Amino acid sequence: MNKIIYYTLILLFVATGTSFSNVSLPSVFADHMVLQQNAEVKLWGWGNPMEEITVTTSWDSVEVKTKADRHANWQVLLKTPLAGGPYSITIKGYNQVTLNDVLIGEVWLCSGQSNMEWTPSAGITNGEEAIKNANFPEIRFFNVVKNSADSPQLDLKGEWQVCTPNTMQYSSAVAYFFGKKLHENLDVPIGLVNSSWGGTPAETWIPQNVINADQTLKKASQKLKAETWCPSEPGRTYNAMIAPLVGFKLAGIIWYQGETNTANPDTYQHTFTALIRSWRDNWTQQLPFYYAQIAPYEYGSPESGVKVREAQRRTLVVPNTGMVMTSDICTTDDIHPRNKLDVGLRFANIALKNHYHTVQGIVEGPLLDSVSFKGKKAYVYFKHAEGLYLKNKDHLFEVAGVDKVFYAAKGTLKKSMFIVTSDRVSEPKYVRYAWGNTSISNIFNKANLPASSFTTETSE
């Protein structure tokens, strides 16, 4: 009888321990992670209903208490100090979880399709040298494993990794060069959360409820063709690869995508704007959102690539955005330009000027500011136009009258303005520049950054 009682008690103890050892965290909260500095960050997870959870951090030793709700969810808000570490975080309920080697610094989400996903090991300019020198223990990668879902998920697969040659070569090259520049300039730890998937259209990165509530987005998503290498259904990658991250405190977002949307370029500005706003709404932050303009390439249908570039240029009307130019660091026969260093540096320079205010000067290429017409002449003015110059004598301007039939035109540079004329158009009403899938800009500013292609045809 005593043996029966003894084994019964053991079984009860094991069962009780198993049922109560239930405190757990999403994968993004783990050893080696980076949390946003000098902020109120949310930490969340799961436990038994009404289980008391105590969170203690080594940077202040303050105990923060909460209880799991009836759905087994809990969350706390933690105040982070200025950049530093390593620290530890202890989460204690019926069981205990300790997170070690936690750094406090700047955290950026890096997303998009293949040009963001592209790793040094896949082949980049001067890749071997970059890999060899990638020893930065205060840069950390969190690479989200590719997945898709038809509803928003609570967790995803991924792990935090310290930047070494081995981990860097399998992480986003653009994100690495961006983070390295920030780390060197700001002298703080950098966390890079990379959630990208080659070939994906923007629509699959937008919450499906946003698409369902917008007829333009719904029609655009219905035109997407199924692909063999990635999802194309609305919301699928958002549900699996972004939704579980919502609430994780960020400094901002960098984005490199658009090539796939050349299949239906006319609605890309509307789609891309909806993506930016939906992410900001869900994070309840007006996060900086910086993106790369797709490079000149023969995308298939005439004007499809340049139309996406134009949509990206026009998306700059959304506040707190910035655009990286790529036309001068690409070859028109490769949809994956191998110069990822300059893309990353240009992202970093925009962030350092616009968000961190640590650099001055021009960090963006010339952008159309305004156009006026007088007689046979169009007067074209640019933003970011200090030191404007022509790299070659190619005439990439075109003008059109009210009939919107465009003819090649000559552009004469006068300080920061071009006077554009064509013998074939006596009274111009529209002007465009570098308007072609493979057209490469020849207008540069003092920072040696190229101008964006543009058209005024649809600006009315």
Side-chain angles (χ1 to χ4, degrees), residues 134-189:
N135 285 296
F136 293 95
E138 289 195 341
I139 297 176
R140 307 289 173 86
F141 305 112
F142 185 88
N143 294 319
V144 176
V145 176
K146 292 176 184 175
N147 198 6
S148 65
D150 57 10
S151 61
Q153 301 298 292
L154 297 176
D155 201 2
L156 42 67
K157 293 182 180 179
E159 62 178 327
W160 283 100
Q161 297 178 318
V162 178
C163 177
T164 66
N166 187 54
T167 59
M168 172 270 200
Q169 68 177 317
Y170 301 115
S171 300
S172 164
V174 168
Y176 166 72
F177 291 123
F178 166 75
K180 178 174 176 286
K181 176 73 172 181
L182 293 190
H183 178 56
E184 293 169 343
N185 187 277
L186 302 174
D187 193 25
V188 301

Side-chain angles (χ1 to χ4, degrees), residues 85-118:
Y87 298 108
S88 63
I89 302 175
T90 301
I91 304 97
K92 187 174 183 181
Y94 297 129
N95 64 312
Q96 180 172 302
V97 177
T98 301
L99 309 180
N100 295 302
D101 189 31
V102 175
L103 298 182
I104 307 295
E106 294 295 305
V107 183
W108 285 78
L109 174 60
C110 315
S111 188
Q113 57 180 111
S114 54
N115 274 308
M116 181 62 79
E117 181 187 351
W118 203 265

Side-chain angles (χ1 to χ4, degrees), residues 48-61:
N48 277 308
M50 304 311 295
E51 180 179 0
E52 185 173 272
I53 312 293
T54 302
V55 180
T56 310
T57 67
S58 67
W59 61 78
D60 62 12
S61 300

Side-chain angles (χ1 to χ4, degrees), residues 250-319:
L250 303 173
I253 299 166
I254 61 171
W255 173 264
Y256 197 162
Q257 189 274 340
E259 294 88 350
T260 295
N261 284 92
T262 58
N264 185 25
D266 293 329
T267 57
Y268 188 71
Q269 182 185 355
H270 186 85
T271 301
F272 189 29
T273 299
L275 184 150
I276 296 171
R277 289 176 174 165
S278 66
W279 287 23
R280 286 175 170 175
D281 286 346
N282 288 342
W283 255 274
T284 64
Q285 286 180 261
Q286 290 301 300
L287 293 163
F289 200 109
Y290 306 134
Y291 54 91
Q293 188 182 61
I294 64 171
Y297 176 77
E298 189 51 73
Y299 288 97
S301 57
E303 300 186 357
S304 59
V306 73
K307 283 183 176 181
V308 168
R309 294 203 299 272
E310 175 69 354
Q312 291 172 322
R313 182 187 72 84
R314 290 175 182 269
T315 302
L316 288 169
V317 299
V318 178

Side-chain angles (χ1 to χ4, degrees), residues 226-394:
E227 302 290 355
T228 58
W229 52 82
C230 65
S232 57
E233 298 86 351
R236 288 296 181 92
T237 51
Y238 176 86
N239 289 337
M241 299 176 66
I242 298 296
L245 299 170
V246 170
F248 191 80
K249 190 73 170 181
L250 303 173
I253 299 166
I254 61 171
W255 173 264
Y256 197 162
Q257 189 274 340
E259 294 88 350
T260 295
N261 284 92
T262 58
N264 185 25
D266 293 329
T267 57
Y268 188 71
Q269 182 185 355
H270 186 85
T271 301
F272 189 29
T273 299
L275 184 150
I276 296 171
R277 289 176 174 165
S278 66
W279 287 23
R280 286 175 170 175
D281 286 346
N282 288 342
W283 255 274
T284 64
Q285 286 180 261
Q286 290 301 300
L287 293 163
F289 200 109
Y290 306 134
Y291 54 91
Q293 188 182 61
I294 64 171
Y297 176 77
E298 189 51 73
Y299 288 97
S301 57
E303 300 186 357
S304 59
V306 73
K307 283 183 176 181
V308 168
R309 294 203 299 272
E310 175 69 354
Q312 291 172 322
R313 182 187 72 84
R314 290 175 182 269
T315 302
L316 288 169
V317 299
V318 178
N320 205 12
T321 57
M323 186 172 71
V324 168
M325 293 298 302
T326 62
S327 67
D328 64 320
I329 50 175
C330 71
T331 57
T332 59
D333 61 349
D334 191 346
I335 200 170
H336 301 118
R338 301 309 168 101
N339 183 348
K340 301 304 186 191
L341 170 63
D342 284 320
V343 178
L345 294 179
R346 291 176 185 185
F347 267 123
N349 285 334
I350 292 175
L352 290 170
K353 180 178 181 179
N354 295 348
H355 185 64
Y356 294 108
H357 311 295
T358 61
V359 301
Q360 297 179 344
I362 299 173
V363 295
E364 295 181 75
L367 294 168
L368 175 66
D369 188 17
S370 64
V371 177
S372 61
F373 300 96
K374 187 175 181 180
K376 295 183 63 175
K377 298 178 180 179
Y379 298 85
V380 180
Y381 297 85
F382 287 89
K383 303 174 185 176
H384 316 305
E386 185 178 349
L388 212 62
Y389 70 93
L390 280 167
K391 200 165 189 177
N392 57 53
K393 295 183 179 180
D394 293 343

